[in-house]
Coordinates of all heavy atoms in Angstrom, one line a residue:
M13 N -19.9 -39.9 9.0 CA -20.3 -39.0 10.0 C -21.0 -37.8 9.5 O -20.5 -37.1 8.6 CB -19.0 -38.5 10.8 CG -18.4 -39.6 11.7 SD -19.4 -39.9 13.2 CE -19.1 -38.5 14.2
S14 N -22.2 -37.6 9.9 CA -22.9 -36.5 9.4 C -23.4 -35.7 10.7 O -23.7 -36.3 11.7 CB -24.2 -36.8 8.6 OG -25.1 -37.5 9.4
G15 N -23.3 -34.4 10.6 CA -23.7 -33.6 11.7 C -23.6 -32.1 11.3 O -23.3 -31.8 10.1
P16 N -23.7 -31.3 12.3 CA -23.5 -29.8 12.0 C -22.1 -29.6 11.5 O -21.1 -30.2 11.9 CB -23.8 -29.1 13.3 CG -23.6 -30.2 14.3 CD -23.9 -31.5 13.7
P17 N -21.9 -28.6 10.6 CA -20.6 -28.3 10.1 C -19.8 -27.7 11.2 O -20.3 -27.1 12.1 CB -20.9 -27.2 9.0 CG -22.2 -26.6 9.3 CD -23.0 -27.8 10.0
P18 N -18.5 -28.0 11.2 CA -17.6 -27.5 12.3 C -17.6 -26.0 12.3 O -17.5 -25.4 11.3 CB -16.2 -28.1 11.9 CG -16.3 -28.4 10.5 CD -17.7 -28.7 10.2
K19 N -17.6 -25.5 13.5 CA -17.6 -24.0 13.6 C -16.2 -23.6 14.1 O -15.4 -24.3 14.7 CB -18.6 -23.6 14.7 CG -20.0 -23.9 14.2 CD -21.0 -23.5 15.2 CE -22.5 -23.7 14.7 NZ -22.7 -25.1 14.3
T20 N -15.9 -22.3 13.7 CA -14.6 -21.7 14.0 C -14.9 -20.4 14.7 O -15.7 -19.6 14.3 CB -13.8 -21.5 12.7 OG1 -13.7 -22.7 12.0 CG2 -12.4 -21.0 13.1
C21 N -14.2 -20.2 15.8 CA -14.3 -18.9 16.5 C -13.8 -17.8 15.6 O -12.6 -17.9 15.1 CB -13.5 -19.0 17.8 SG -13.4 -17.4 18.7
I22 N -14.6 -16.8 15.4 CA -14.2 -15.7 14.5 C -13.1 -14.8 15.0 O -12.4 -14.1 14.3 CB -15.5 -14.9 14.1 CG1 -15.3 -14.1 12.8 CG2 -15.9 -13.9 15.2 CD1 -16.5 -13.4 12.3
T23 N -13.0 -14.9 16.4 CA -12.0 -14.0 17.0 C -10.6 -14.7 17.1 O -9.6 -14.1 16.7 CB -12.5 -13.6 18.4 OG1 -13.7 -13.0 18.3 CG2 -11.5 -12.7 19.1
C24 N -10.5 -15.9 17.6 CA -9.2 -16.5 17.8 C -8.9 -17.6 16.7 O -7.8 -18.1 16.7 CB -9.1 -17.1 19.2 SG -10.2 -18.5 19.5
G25 N -9.9 -17.9 15.9 CA -9.7 -18.9 14.8 C -9.7 -20.3 15.3 O -9.3 -21.2 14.5
R26 N -10.0 -20.6 16.5 CA -9.9 -21.9 17.1 C -11.2 -22.7 16.6 O -12.3 -22.1 16.6 CB -9.9 -21.8 18.6 CG -9.5 -23.1 19.3 CD -9.2 -22.8 20.7 NE -10.4 -22.4 21.5 CZ -11.3 -23.3 22.0 NH1 -11.1 -24.6 21.8 NH2 -12.3 -22.8 22.7
G27 N -11.0 -23.9 16.3 CA -12.1 -24.8 15.9 C -12.9 -25.1 17.2 O -12.4 -25.3 18.2
I28 N -14.2 -25.0 17.0 CA -15.1 -25.3 18.1 C -15.7 -26.7 17.9 O -16.4 -27.0 16.9 CB -16.2 -24.2 18.2 CG1 -15.6 -22.9 18.5 CG2 -17.1 -24.6 19.4 CD1 -16.5 -21.7 18.3
A29 N -15.4 -27.6 18.9 CA -16.0 -28.9 18.8 C -17.5 -28.9 18.9 O -18.0 -28.0 19.6 CB -15.4 -29.8 19.9
P30 N -18.2 -29.9 18.3 CA -19.6 -29.9 18.3 C -20.2 -30.0 19.8 O -21.3 -29.6 20.0 CB -20.0 -31.1 17.5 CG -18.8 -31.4 16.6 CD -17.6 -30.9 17.4
S31 N -19.3 -30.6 20.6 CA -19.8 -30.7 22.0 C -19.5 -29.5 22.9 O -19.9 -29.4 24.0 CB -19.1 -31.9 22.7 OG -17.7 -31.7 22.6
E32 N -18.8 -28.5 22.3 CA -18.5 -27.3 23.0 C -19.6 -26.2 22.9 O -20.3 -26.2 21.9 CB -17.2 -26.7 22.4 CG -16.0 -26.9 23.3 CD -14.8 -26.1 22.7 OE1 -14.3 -26.5 21.6 OE2 -14.4 -25.1 23.3
V33 N -19.7 -25.4 23.9 CA -20.6 -24.3 23.9 C -20.0 -23.2 23.1 O -18.8 -22.9 23.2 CB -20.9 -23.8 25.3 CG1 -21.8 -22.6 25.3 CG2 -21.6 -24.9 26.2
Y34 N -20.8 -22.6 22.2 CA -20.3 -21.4 21.5 C -21.4 -20.4 21.5 O -22.5 -20.6 22.0 CB -20.0 -21.8 20.0 CG -21.2 -22.3 19.2 CD1 -22.0 -21.5 18.5 CD2 -21.5 -23.7 19.2 CE1 -23.1 -21.9 17.8 CE2 -22.6 -24.2 18.5 CZ -23.4 -23.3 17.8 OH -24.5 -23.8 17.2
Y35 N -21.0 -19.2 21.1 CA -21.9 -18.0 21.2 C -22.0 -17.3 19.9 O -21.0 -16.9 19.3 CB -21.4 -17.1 22.3 CG -21.3 -17.7 23.7 CD1 -20.2 -18.4 24.0 CD2 -22.4 -17.7 24.5 CE1 -20.1 -19.1 25.3 CE2 -22.4 -18.3 25.7 CZ -21.2 -19.0 26.1 OH -21.2 -19.6 27.3
R36 N -23.3 -17.2 19.4 CA -23.5 -16.6 18.2 C -23.7 -15.1 18.4 O -24.3 -14.7 19.4 CB -24.8 -17.1 17.5 CG -25.1 -16.6 16.1 CD -26.3 -17.4 15.6 NE -26.0 -18.8 15.4 CZ -25.3 -19.3 14.4 NH1 -24.8 -18.6 13.5 NH2 -25.1 -20.6 14.4
F37 N -23.2 -14.3 17.5 CA -23.3 -12.8 17.7 C -23.5 -12.1 16.4 O -23.1 -12.6 15.3 CB -22.1 -12.3 18.4 CG -20.9 -12.1 17.5 CD1 -20.6 -10.9 16.9 CD2 -20.1 -13.2 17.2 CE1 -19.5 -10.7 16.1 CE2 -19.0 -13.1 16.4 CZ -18.7 -11.8 15.8
T38 N -24.0 -10.9 16.4 CA -24.1 -10.0 15.3 C -23.7 -8.7 15.8 O -24.3 -8.2 16.8 CB -25.5 -10.0 14.7 OG1 -25.9 -11.3 14.4 CG2 -25.5 -9.2 13.4
L39 N -22.7 -8.1 15.3 CA -22.3 -6.8 15.7 C -22.4 -5.8 14.6 O -21.8 -6.0 13.5 CB -20.9 -6.8 16.3 CG -20.3 -5.5 16.8 CD1 -21.1 -5.0 18.0 CD2 -18.9 -5.7 17.2
V40 N -23.1 -4.7 14.7 CA -23.2 -3.7 13.7 C -22.8 -2.4 14.3 O -23.3 -1.9 15.3 CB -24.7 -3.6 13.2 CG1 -24.8 -2.5 12.1 CG2 -25.2 -4.9 12.7
L41 N -21.8 -1.7 13.6 CA -21.3 -0.4 14.1 C -21.7 0.6 13.0 O -21.3 0.5 11.9 CB -19.8 -0.4 14.2 CG -19.3 -1.4 15.3 CD1 -17.7 -1.3 15.3 CD2 -19.8 -1.2 16.6
E42 N -22.6 1.5 13.4 CA -23.1 2.5 12.5 C -22.5 3.8 12.9 O -22.6 4.2 14.0 CB -24.7 2.6 12.6 CG -25.4 1.3 12.1 CD -25.8 1.4 10.6 OE1 -25.3 2.3 9.9 OE2 -26.6 0.6 10.2
G43 N -21.9 4.5 11.9 CA -21.4 5.8 12.2 C -22.5 6.8 12.3 O -23.3 6.9 11.4
E44 N -22.5 7.6 13.3 CA -23.5 8.6 13.5 C -22.8 9.9 14.1 O -21.7 9.8 14.7 CB -24.6 8.2 14.5 CG -25.6 7.2 13.8 CD -26.7 6.8 14.7 OE1 -26.9 7.5 15.7 OE2 -27.4 5.8 14.4
Q45 N -23.4 11.0 13.8 CA -22.9 12.2 14.3 C -24.1 13.2 14.6 O -24.9 13.4 13.7 CB -22.0 12.8 13.3 CG -21.2 14.0 13.8 CD -20.1 14.5 12.8 OE1 -20.1 14.0 11.7 NE2 -19.2 15.3 13.3
D46 N -24.2 13.6 15.8 CA -25.3 14.4 16.2 C -25.1 15.9 15.7 O -26.1 16.5 15.3 CB -25.6 14.4 17.7 CG -26.1 13.1 18.1 OD1 -26.8 12.4 17.3 OD2 -26.0 12.7 19.3
V47 N -23.9 16.4 15.8 CA -23.7 17.7 15.5 C -22.5 17.7 14.4 O -21.5 17.2 14.7 CB -23.2 18.6 16.7 CG1 -22.9 20.0 16.3 CG2 -24.3 18.5 17.8
L48 N -22.8 18.3 13.3 CA -21.8 18.4 12.2 C -20.9 19.5 12.5 O -21.3 20.6 13.0 CB -22.5 18.6 10.9 CG -23.4 17.5 10.3 CD1 -24.1 17.9 9.1 CD2 -22.5 16.3 10.0
D49 N -19.6 19.3 12.2 CA -18.7 20.4 12.4 C -19.0 21.5 11.5 O -19.2 21.4 10.3 CB -17.3 19.9 12.0 CG -16.7 18.9 13.0 OD1 -17.1 19.1 14.2 OD2 -15.9 18.1 12.7
T50 N -19.1 22.7 12.1 CA -19.4 23.9 11.3 C -18.1 24.4 10.7 O -17.1 24.6 11.5 CB -20.1 25.0 12.2 OG1 -19.4 25.1 13.4 CG2 -21.5 24.6 12.5
P51 N -18.1 24.6 9.4 CA -16.8 25.1 8.8 C -16.5 26.5 9.4 O -17.3 27.4 9.5 CB -17.2 25.2 7.3 CG -18.7 25.2 7.2 CD -19.2 24.4 8.4
R52 N -15.2 26.6 9.7 CA -14.8 27.9 10.3 C -14.7 28.9 9.2 O -14.0 28.6 8.2 CB -13.4 27.7 11.0 CG -13.6 27.0 12.4 CD -12.3 26.5 12.8 NE -11.9 25.3 11.9 CZ -10.7 24.7 12.0 NH1 -9.9 25.1 13.0 NH2 -10.4 23.7 11.2
A53 N -15.3 30.0 9.3 CA -15.3 31.0 8.3 C -13.9 31.6 8.1 O -13.2 31.9 9.1 CB -16.3 32.1 8.6
G54 N -13.4 31.7 6.9 CA -12.2 32.3 6.7 C -11.0 31.4 6.9 O -9.8 31.8 6.7
S55 N -11.2 30.2 7.3 CA -10.0 29.3 7.5 C -9.4 28.8 6.2 O -8.3 28.5 6.1 CB -10.5 28.1 8.3 OG -11.3 27.2 7.5
G56 N -10.3 28.8 5.1 CA -9.7 28.5 3.8 C -9.7 27.0 3.5 O -9.4 26.6 2.4
T57 N -9.9 26.2 4.5 CA -9.9 24.7 4.3 C -11.3 24.1 4.5 O -11.9 24.3 5.5 CB -8.9 24.0 5.2 OG1 -9.1 24.5 6.5 CG2 -7.5 24.2 4.8
D58 N -11.7 23.5 3.4 CA -13.0 22.8 3.5 C -12.7 21.3 3.7 O -12.2 20.6 2.8 CB -13.8 23.0 2.2 CG -15.2 22.5 2.3 OD1 -15.4 21.5 3.1 OD2 -16.1 23.0 1.7
E59 N -12.9 20.8 4.9 CA -12.5 19.5 5.3 C -13.2 18.4 4.4 O -12.6 17.4 4.1 CB -12.7 19.2 6.7 CG -11.6 19.9 7.6 CD -11.8 19.6 9.1 OE1 -12.2 18.5 9.4 OE2 -11.5 20.5 9.9
L60 N -14.5 18.6 4.2 CA -15.3 17.7 3.4 C -14.8 17.6 2.0 O -14.6 16.5 1.4 CB -16.7 18.0 3.5 CG -17.7 17.0 2.8 CD1 -17.6 15.7 3.6 CD2 -19.1 17.5 2.9
T61 N -14.5 18.7 1.4 CA -14.0 18.8 0.0 C -12.6 18.0 0.0 O -12.4 17.3 -1.0 CB -13.8 20.2 -0.4 OG1 -15.1 20.9 -0.3 CG2 -13.4 20.3 -1.9
A62 N -11.8 18.3 0.9 CA -10.5 17.6 1.0 C -10.6 16.1 1.1 O -9.9 15.4 0.5 CB -9.7 18.2 2.1
L63 N -11.6 15.7 1.9 CA -11.9 14.3 2.1 C -12.3 13.6 0.8 O -11.9 12.5 0.4 CB -12.9 14.1 3.2 CG -13.1 12.7 3.8 CD1 -11.8 12.3 4.5 CD2 -14.3 12.7 4.7
L64 N -13.2 14.3 0.1 CA -13.8 13.8 -1.2 C -12.7 13.7 -2.2 O -12.6 12.7 -3.0 CB -14.9 14.7 -1.7 CG -16.2 14.5 -0.9 CD1 -17.2 15.6 -1.3 CD2 -16.8 13.2 -1.0
K65 N -11.8 14.7 -2.3 CA -10.7 14.7 -3.2 C -9.8 13.5 -2.9 O -9.3 12.8 -3.8 CB -9.9 16.0 -3.2 CG -10.5 17.1 -4.0 CD -9.6 18.3 -4.0 CE -10.3 19.4 -4.8 NZ -9.6 20.7 -4.5
Q66 N -9.6 13.3 -1.6 CA -8.7 12.2 -1.2 C -9.3 10.8 -1.6 O -8.7 9.9 -2.0 CB -8.5 12.3 0.3 CG -7.5 11.3 0.9 CD -7.5 11.4 2.4 OE1 -7.7 12.4 3.0 NE2 -7.4 10.2 3.1
L67 N -10.7 10.8 -1.5 CA -11.4 9.6 -1.8 C -11.3 9.3 -3.3 O -11.2 8.2 -3.7 CB -12.9 9.8 -1.4 CG -13.7 8.5 -1.2 CD1 -13.1 7.6 -0.2 CD2 -15.1 8.9 -0.8
E68 N -11.4 10.3 -4.1 CA -11.3 10.2 -5.6 C -9.9 9.7 -6.0 O -9.8 8.9 -6.9 CB -11.7 11.5 -6.3 CG -13.2 11.8 -6.4 CD -13.5 13.1 -6.9 OE1 -12.6 13.7 -7.6 OE2 -14.5 13.7 -6.6
A69 N -9.0 10.2 -5.3 CA -7.6 9.9 -5.6 C -7.2 8.5 -5.4 O -6.4 7.9 -6.1 CB -6.6 10.8 -4.9
S70 N -7.8 7.9 -4.4 CA -7.5 6.5 -4.0 C -8.8 5.8 -3.8 O -9.3 5.7 -2.7 CB -6.7 6.5 -2.8 OG -7.2 7.2 -1.7
P71 N -9.4 5.2 -4.9 CA -10.6 4.5 -4.8 C -10.6 3.2 -3.9 O -11.6 2.8 -3.4 CB -11.0 4.1 -6.2 CG -9.7 4.2 -7.0 CD -8.9 5.2 -6.3
E72 N -9.4 2.7 -3.7 CA -9.3 1.5 -2.9 C -9.5 1.8 -1.4 O -9.8 0.9 -0.7 CB -7.9 0.8 -3.1 CG -6.7 1.6 -2.6 CD -6.2 2.5 -3.7 OE1 -6.9 2.7 -4.7 OE2 -5.0 2.9 -3.5
S73 N -9.4 3.0 -1.1 CA -9.7 3.4 0.3 C -11.1 3.6 0.6 O -11.5 3.8 1.7 CB -8.9 4.6 0.7 OG -9.4 5.8 0.1
S74 N -12.0 3.6 -0.5 CA -13.4 3.9 -0.3 C -14.0 2.8 0.6 O -15.0 3.0 1.3 CB -14.1 4.0 -1.6 OG -14.0 2.8 -2.3
Q75 N -13.5 1.6 0.4 CA -14.0 0.5 1.3 C -13.8 0.8 2.7 O -14.7 0.6 3.6 CB -13.2 -0.8 0.9 CG -13.4 -2.0 1.8 CD -14.8 -2.7 1.5 OE1 -15.4 -2.5 0.5 NE2 -15.3 -3.4 2.5
A76 N -12.6 1.3 3.0 CA -12.3 1.6 4.4 C -13.2 2.8 4.9 O -13.6 2.8 6.1 CB -10.8 2.0 4.6
M77 N -13.4 3.7 4.0 CA -14.3 4.8 4.3 C -15.7 4.3 4.6 O -16.4 4.8 5.5 CB -14.3 5.8 3.2 CG -13.0 6.6 3.0 SD -12.5 7.6 4.4 CE -13.9 8.8 4.4
E78 N -16.1 3.4 3.8 CA -17.5 2.8 4.0 C -17.6 2.1 5.3 O -18.6 2.2 6.0 CB -17.7 1.9 2.8 CG -19.2 1.7 2.5 CD -19.4 0.8 1.3 OE1 -19.1 1.3 0.1 OE2 -19.9 -0.3 1.4
E79 N -16.5 1.4 5.7 CA -16.5 0.7 6.9 C -16.6 1.6 8.1 O -17.0 1.2 9.2 CB -15.3 -0.2 7.0 CG -15.4 -1.4 6.1 CD -14.4 -2.5 6.4 OE1 -13.4 -2.1 7.1 OE2 -14.6 -3.6 5.9
Q80 N -16.2 2.9 7.9 CA -16.3 3.8 9.0 C -17.7 4.2 9.3 O -18.1 4.7 10.3 CB -15.5 5.1 8.7 CG -14.0 4.9 8.8 CD -13.2 6.2 8.8 OE1 -13.8 7.2 9.0 NE2 -12.0 6.1 8.5
V81 N -18.6 4.1 8.2 CA -20.0 4.4 8.3 C -20.8 3.2 8.7 O -21.7 3.3 9.6 CB -20.5 5.0 7.0 CG1 -22.0 5.3 7.1 CG2 -19.7 6.2 6.6
H82 N -20.5 2.1 8.1 CA -21.2 0.9 8.4 C -20.3 -0.3 8.5 O -19.7 -0.7 7.5 CB -22.3 0.6 7.4 CG -23.2 -0.6 7.7 ND1 -24.4 -0.4 8.3 CD2 -23.0 -1.9 7.6 CE1 -25.0 -1.6 8.5 NE2 -24.1 -2.5 8.0
W83 N -20.2 -1.0 9.6 CA -19.3 -2.1 9.8 C -20.1 -3.2 10.5 O -20.8 -3.0 11.5 CB -18.1 -1.7 10.7 CG -17.0 -2.7 10.8 CD1 -15.9 -2.9 10.0 CD2 -17.0 -3.7 11.9 NE1 -15.2 -4.0 10.6 CE2 -15.8 -4.4 11.7 CE3 -17.8 -4.0 13.0 CZ2 -15.4 -5.5 12.5 CZ3 -17.4 -5.0 13.8 CH2 -16.2 -5.8 13.6
E84 N -20.1 -4.4 9.9 CA -20.9 -5.4 10.4 C -20.2 -6.7 10.4 O -19.5 -7.1 9.5 CB -22.2 -5.5 9.5 CG -23.3 -6.4 10.0 CD -24.5 -6.4 9.2 OE1 -24.8 -5.3 8.6 OE2 -25.2 -7.4 9.1
R85 N -20.3 -7.4 11.5 CA -19.7 -8.8 11.6 C -20.7 -9.7 12.3 O -21.5 -9.3 13.2 CB -18.5 -8.7 12.5 CG -17.3 -8.1 11.8 CD -16.7 -8.9 10.6 NE -15.6 -8.3 10.0 CZ -15.6 -7.3 9.1 NH1 -16.8 -6.9 8.7 NH2 -14.5 -6.8 8.6
A86 N -20.7 -10.9 11.8 CA -21.6 -11.9 12.4 C -20.8 -13.2 12.5 O -20.0 -13.5 11.6 CB -22.9 -12.0 11.7
G87 N -21.1 -14.0 13.4 CA -20.4 -15.3 13.5 C -20.6 -15.9 14.9 O -21.5 -15.6 15.6
V88 N -19.7 -16.8 15.2 CA -19.7 -17.4 16.5 C -18.3 -17.3 17.2 O -17.3 -17.2 16.5 CB -20.1 -18.9 16.4 CG1 -21.5 -19.1 15.9 CG2 -19.1 -19.7 15.5
V89 N -18.4 -17.2 18.5 CA -17.1 -17.1 19.2 C -17.1 -18.2 20.3 O -18.2 -18.6 20.7 CB -16.9 -15.7 19.9 CG1 -16.8 -14.6 18.9 CG2 -18.1 -15.4 20.8
C90 N -15.9 -18.6 20.7 CA -15.8 -19.6 21.7 C -16.1 -18.9 23.1 O -16.1 -17.7 23.2 CB -14.5 -20.3 21.7 SG -13.1 -19.2 22.1
A91 N -16.2 -19.7 24.1 CA -16.5 -19.2 25.5 C -15.4 -18.3 25.9 O -15.7 -17.3 26.6 CB -16.6 -20.4 26.4
A92 N -14.1 -18.5 25.6 CA -13.1 -17.7 26.1 C -13.1 -16.3 25.5 O -13.0 -15.3 26.1 CB -11.7 -18.3 25.8
C93 N -13.4 -16.3 24.1 CA -13.5 -15.0 23.4 C -14.8 -14.2 23.8 O -14.8 -13.0 23.8 CB -13.5 -15.2 21.9 SG -11.8 -15.7 21.4
R94 N -15.8 -15.0 24.2 CA -17.0 -14.3 24.7 C -16.7 -13.4 25.9 O -17.1 -12.3 26.0 CB -18.1 -15.3 25.1 CG -19.3 -14.8 25.8 CD -20.2 -15.9 26.2 NE -21.3 -15.4 27.1 CZ -21.2 -15.3 28.4 NH1 -20.1 -15.7 29.0 NH2 -22.2 -14.9 29.1
T95 N -15.9 -13.9 26.8 CA -15.5 -13.2 27.9 C -14.7 -11.9 27.5 O -14.9 -10.8 28.1 CB -14.6 -14.0 28.9 OG1 -15.3 -15.3 29.1 CG2 -14.3 -13.4 30.2
V96 N -13.8 -12.1 26.6 CA -13.0 -10.9 26.1 C -13.9 -9.9 25.5 O -13.8 -8.7 25.7 CB -12.0 -11.4 25.1 CG1 -11.2 -10.2 24.5 CG2 -11.0 -12.3 25.8
V97 N -14.9 -10.3 24.6 CA -15.8 -9.4 23.9 C -16.6 -8.7 24.9 O -16.8 -7.4 24.9 CB -16.7 -10.2 22.9 CG1 -17.8 -9.3 22.4 CG2 -15.8 -10.7 21.8
M98 N -17.2 -9.4 25.9 CA -18.0 -8.8 26.9 C -17.2 -7.7 27.7 O -17.8 -6.7 28.1 CB -18.6 -9.8 27.8 CG -19.7 -10.6 27.2 SD -20.4 -11.9 28.2 CE -21.4 -10.8 29.3
R99 N -16.0 -8.1 28.0 CA -15.2 -7.1 28.8 C -14.9 -5.9 28.0 O -14.8 -4.8 28.5 CB -13.9 -7.8 29.2 CG -13.1 -7.1 30.4 CD -11.8 -7.8 30.6 NE -11.9 -9.2 31.0 CZ -11.1 -10.1 30.6 NH1 -10.0 -9.9 29.9 NH2 -11.2 -11.4 31.0
T100 N -14.6 -6.1 26.7 CA -14.3 -5.0 25.8 C -15.5 -4.0 25.7 O -15.3 -2.8 25.7 CB -14.0 -5.5 24.4 OG1 -12.9 -6.4 24.5 CG2 -13.5 -4.4 23.5
L101 N -16.7 -4.6 25.6 CA -17.9 -3.7 25.4 C -18.5 -3.2 26.7 O -19.3 -2.3 26.7 CB -19.0 -4.5 24.6 CG -18.6 -4.9 23.2 CD1 -19.7 -5.8 22.6 CD2 -18.3 -3.7 22.3
A102 N -18.0 -3.7 27.8 CA -18.6 -3.3 29.1 C -18.0 -1.9 29.4 O -16.9 -1.6 29.1 CB -18.2 -4.3 30.2
P103 N -18.8 -1.1 30.1 CA -18.3 0.2 30.5 C -17.2 0.0 31.6 O -17.2 -1.0 32.3 CB -19.5 0.9 31.2 CG -20.4 -0.3 31.5 CD -20.2 -1.3 30.5
P104 N -16.3 0.9 31.6 CA -15.1 0.7 32.5 C -15.6 0.6 34.0 O -16.4 1.4 34.4 CB -14.3 2.0 32.3 CG -15.2 3.0 31.6 CD -16.2 2.1 30.9
T105 N -15.1 -0.4 34.6 CA -15.5 -0.5 36.0 C -14.7 0.4 36.9 O -13.5 0.5 36.8 CB -15.3 -2.0 36.5 OG1 -13.9 -2.3 36.1 CG2 -16.2 -2.9 35.8
E106 N -15.5 1.2 37.6 CA -14.8 2.2 38.5 C -14.4 1.5 39.8 O -15.1 0.7 40.4 CB -15.8 3.3 38.8 CG -16.1 4.2 37.6 CD -17.2 5.1 37.8 OE1 -17.3 5.7 38.9 OE2 -18.1 5.3 36.9
P107 N -13.2 1.8 40.2 CA -12.7 1.3 41.5 C -13.4 1.9 42.7 O -12.7 2.4 43.6 CB -11.2 1.5 41.4 CG -11.1 2.8 40.6 CD -12.2 2.8 39.6
A108 N -14.7 1.9 42.6 CA -15.5 2.6 43.7 C -15.8 1.6 44.8 O -15.9 0.4 44.6 CB -16.8 3.2 43.1
G109 N -15.8 2.1 46.0 CA -16.1 1.3 47.1 C -17.6 0.9 47.2 O -18.4 1.4 46.3
P110 N -18.0 0.1 48.1 CA -19.4 -0.2 48.2 C -20.2 1.0 48.7 O -19.8 1.9 49.4 CB -19.4 -1.3 49.4 CG -18.1 -1.0 50.1 CD -17.2 -0.5 49.1
H111 N -21.5 1.0 48.1 CA -22.3 2.2 48.4 C -23.0 2.0 49.7 O -23.5 1.0 50.0 CB -23.4 2.3 47.3 CG -22.8 2.9 46.1 ND1 -22.6 4.3 45.9 CD2 -22.4 2.4 45.0 CE1 -22.1 4.5 44.7 NE2 -21.9 3.4 44.1
Ligands
ZN211 ZN1 -12.1 -17.8 20.4

């Protein structure tokens, strides 16, 4: 038997049969900030310096820090998980009446 390699849903881990519909996706989350926190004068705490020190102290957490800035996932999801993903990314539906 030769054919396309079996696919697995990246969200629920379920195997997707070749005859099943699946959905390919690429999701990139880029950390951005329009306004930087201005250091409060006289507070005595430099948050960025503290963060850098924390980063130096535990290099294994730098991966997590990096993921806060750039996080990327790509793969395929099954039809059921597509619904979940779409619901998660959709703006909250307001219980508003008809216009
Ligand atoms: Zn799934």
Side-chain angles (χ1 to χ4, degrees):
M13 285 288 284
S14 68
K19 293 178 177 62
T20 307
C21 172
I22 201 171
T23 303
C24 69
R26 197 168 64 85
I28 300 170
S31 60
E32 254 184 289
V33 174
Y34 61 90
Y35 299 87
R36 187 174 298 282
F37 78 97
T38 307
L39 179 63
V40 181
L41 300 179
E42 295 266 13
E44 283 184 17
Q45 191 172 11
D46 288 335
V47 180
L48 293 171
D49 285 333
T50 46
R52 283 160 295 176
S55 70
T57 45
D58 191 326
E59 287 182 31
L60 186 61
T61 306
L63 192 67
L64 287 172
K65 274 182 185 168
Q66 189 187 322
L67 198 59
E68 279 173 27
S70 50
E72 65 270 17
S73 70
S74 63
Q75 170 78 20
M77 292 296 297
E78 207 176 290
E79 288 192 342
Q80 285 190 21
V81 179
H82 184 99
W83 185 91
E84 193 174 326
R85 286 290 181 279
V88 295
V89 294
C90 67
C93 290
R94 169 183 172 271
T95 309
V96 175
V97 170
M98 287 181 74
R99 198 185 300 145
T100 304
L101 294 178
T105 49
E106 290 169 40
H111 282 279

